[in-house]
Amino acid sequence: MSARVLEISANSLGSALAAQAGGADRVELCENLGEGGTTPSYGSIAVARDRLRIALYVLIRPRAGDFLFDESECAVMRADIENCVRLGCDGVVIGALDARGDIDTALCRELIAAAGPLGVTFHRAFDAARDQSTALEAAIGLGCERILTSGGANDAWSGADRIAALSEQAGGRIALMAGAGVTAHNIVALAQRAKVHELHASAKAPRRSAMAYRNEALAGLSPDWVQSDAQRVAELVAALRG
């Protein structure tokens, strides 16, 4: 049996370092997790690469919303990928659809070409595709290493049977990585039910600001935030390895 792998979706450098401290195998660095994730800043990527000793993949997504991108957005994604290559990242996480809901293979080929030697994960644009069986074959044809998916459901547990069917269809040609709603309580059962060896979680927890002064009138600008938590990561790792 292949060893199980835990990837942490890290929304900041602090989250990435917590993932490493907790024993994760890989980080997917991003920003704006509440909007599904977008590309992190150049500085975040550069410092993360300098400080991480585990695999670092970077989400390449120029904005929230759909996965139908115009030429200016494509140019941004190519430039972001080129930065990842220069900084020595291990991989990038990409995805794009056309207006019909199929994988935009032409654009994805451009992005993969820009990535050169880097590994490539196809992100949850896959879950927005109109036909996942067709999308699976397209991702395999592109040469992606893996697909991050919830099986098209709101969470991976709800989509576990669909992920298992996709894993069977893939037949070892590509890895399926289950993500969305993954916790220490369900990670082992999910891996078994979905028939996957790679799991994806954020392991986030609230962080309380140390600010002594708070302007309570700024209700929409809370000084608190969420961040991946090393203890929660360690609990995921212990469950997965146990």
Side-chain angles (χ1 to χ4, degrees), residues 90-147:
D90 296 289
V92 291
V93 183
I94 69 161
L97 302 178
D98 61 27
R100 298 181 303 277
D102 294 318
I103 289 180
D104 186 339
T105 53
L107 171 54
C108 289
R109 284 195 187 97
E110 285 186 41
L111 301 180
I112 291 169
L118 274 56
V120 176
T121 298
F122 197 95
H123 61 49
R124 289 189 66 201
F126 178 83
D127 288 325
R130 66 179 179 85
D131 185 279
Q132 290 186 327
S133 293
T134 300
L136 174 64
E137 296 300 330
I140 291 170
L142 288 167
C144 297
E145 293 175 305
R146 69 186 59 81
I147 297 168

Side-chain angles (χ1 to χ4, degrees), residues 9 12 44 59 109 124 136 142 168 196 198 203 211 214 242:
S9 180
S12 65
S44 293
L59 177 62
R109 284 195 187 97
R124 289 189 66 201
L136 174 64
L142 288 167
E168 184 173 350
V196 297
E198 299 197 25
M211 287 289 294
R214 291 175 177 241

Side-chain angles (χ1 to χ4, degrees), residues 26-202:
R26 184 171 64 234
V27 161
E28 179 205 45
L29 188 63
C30 64
E31 290 178 357
N32 301 313
L33 267 180
E35 296 184 325
T38 56
T39 304
S41 72
Y42 179 92
S44 293
I45 301 168
V47 180
R49 178 66 294 172
D50 182 61
R51 297 188 183 182
L52 290 180
R53 297 296 174 263
I54 59 175
L56 172 61
Y57 277 53
V58 177
L59 177 62
I60 305 298
R61 187 183 179 210
R63 57 163 172 79
D66 66 26
F67 302 99
L68 179 64
F69 301 112
D70 63 26
E71 177 47 43
S72 62
E73 292 167 332
C74 296
V76 169
M77 290 191 287
R78 287 192 296 269
D80 283 334
I81 290 171
E82 289 164 3
N83 283 334
C84 291
V85 174
R86 283 192 290 269
L87 289 169
C89 297
D90 296 289
V92 291
V93 183
I94 69 161
L97 302 178
D98 61 27
R100 298 181 303 277
D102 294 318
I103 289 180
D104 186 339
T105 53
L107 171 54
C108 289
R109 284 195 187 97
E110 285 186 41
L111 301 180
I112 291 169
L118 274 56
V120 176
T121 298
F122 197 95
H123 61 49
R124 289 189 66 201
F126 178 83
D127 288 325
R130 66 179 179 85
D131 185 279
Q132 290 186 327
S133 293
T134 300
L136 174 64
E137 296 300 330
I140 291 170
L142 288 167
C144 297
E145 293 175 305
R146 69 186 59 81
I147 297 168
L148 171 60
T149 180
S150 65
N154 285 331
D155 60 81
W157 182 256
S158 299
D161 293 339
R162 179 63 182 146
I163 299 172
L166 291 165
S167 295
E168 184 173 350
Q169 178 185 338
R173 294 175 294 162
I174 194 170
L176 276 293
M177 178 166 60
V182 178
T183 69
H185 299 294
N186 67 16
I187 192 168
V188 173
L190 174 61
Q192 293 170 342
R193 182 176 167 192
K195 300 180 181 178
V196 297
H197 299 292
E198 299 197 25
L199 290 303
H200 175 96
S202 60

